[in-house]
Amino acid sequence: NDSFFDVRLEAIQQGNRIKKYAEHELLRKLKSSVENDSESKVRLAALTFLKENFPKDPDLLPLAQKILNQDVSNLCKAKALQILTTIDTSLVFQHIELWSEDQSSTIRIALLLYYAEHGDEKSFARFQSAMNSSFLKGQDRMAAMLHLNTYLTRIKNQKIRLEGLTLLNKFYA
């Protein structure tokens, strides 16, 4: 575990090269990086690599839950929420209420992604609140609009769709 996080990041990015030769060792190192690396960029890269290359690994769920409960990085928590959503959406509800008042734009965007993919008609209020708040800037603003658009394509309620389109138009103006 060297002090140069960019070396560790590059090693993770090159993981596919050794995956077929040393899968067990690669998994062990990635899991260790997720849990123990001091650099959030390395933890995020390792978690992302695990999700993309080992989505059925039985340790992925406990790792994601640990990140959600203990990690200090909002980017890592957002990725863990995304992983949890793909594994078991019922587990996400435990974290949503805890995060609903979080002021981090990273966390708010992660929650909007969850609502876009899994929310019901009641979730529209979350989009209204987010879109009418002042926290959305730059990329976050674009991400929120994308998530609202995704949500509106899933919802059948025409009134909500119309209100959502009005909200989007307001943002584009």
Side-chain angles (χ1 to χ4, degrees):
N1 196 13
D2 63 14
S3 61
F4 299 98
F5 73 88
D6 54 337
V7 173
R8 296 191 307 277
L9 273 175
E10 182 64 27
I12 290 168
Q13 292 167 351
Q14 298 300 321
N16 277 325
R17 290 185 173 190
I18 64 166
K19 183 178 171 184
K20 59 185 170 188
Y21 303 110
E23 186 172 305
H24 180 71
E25 183 65 15
L26 177 62
L27 267 170
R28 190 180 69 71
K29 291 282 190 188
L30 287 167
K31 292 172 186 177
S32 176
S33 292
V34 168
E35 291 186 295
N36 303 313
D37 202 284
S38 60
E39 183 62 44
S40 64
K41 291 179 183 178
V42 174
R43 293 192 310 276
L44 179 62
L47 191 58
T48 301
F49 191 92
L50 282 169
K51 178 191 179 289
E52 292 173 358
N53 293 279
F54 300 99
K56 303 284 187 208
D57 186 84
D59 292 330
L60 192 55
L61 176 61
L63 275 173
Q65 289 176 309
K66 184 175 182 179
I67 293 295
L68 282 171
N69 293 323
Q70 298 176 7
D71 206 286
V72 296
S73 165
N74 286 332
L75 286 173
C76 290
K77 287 180 179 183
K79 178 56 75 175
L81 180 69
Q82 182 184 16
I83 290 169
L84 207 57
T85 299
T86 62
I87 296 172
D88 187 349
T89 57
S90 66
L91 297 173
V92 176
F93 287 109
Q94 301 168 13
H95 300 282
I96 284 187
E97 287 308 313
L98 294 172
W99 287 2
S100 62
E101 299 303 317
D102 196 298
Q103 296 302 306
S104 161
S105 62
T106 302
I107 297 299
R108 288 185 178 200
I109 295 299
L111 290 175
L112 289 180
L113 173 60
Y114 173 80
Y115 293 129
E117 295 176 348
H118 304 282
D120 58 15
E121 291 179 0
K122 295 176 192 167
S123 302
F124 184 62
R126 302 286 186 167
F127 283 99
Q128 288 174 308
S129 173
M131 302 296 264
N132 290 319
S133 73
S134 61
F135 85 91
L136 293 175
K137 306 270 189 273
Q139 280 185 291
D140 292 335
R141 184 178 173 118
M142 295 303 292
M145 290 189 302
L146 174 68
H147 297 332
L148 176 55
N149 189 51
T150 300
Y151 170 79
L152 292 174
T153 62
R154 291 184 39 258
I155 297 300
K156 303 293 183 228
N157 184 312
Q158 292 299 332
K159 183 180 180 211
I160 289 177
R161 282 182 157 183
L162 185 59
E163 287 181 44
L165 289 173
T166 303
L167 199 54
L168 282 173
N169 282 332
K170 179 177 136 185
F171 251 70
Y172 282 117

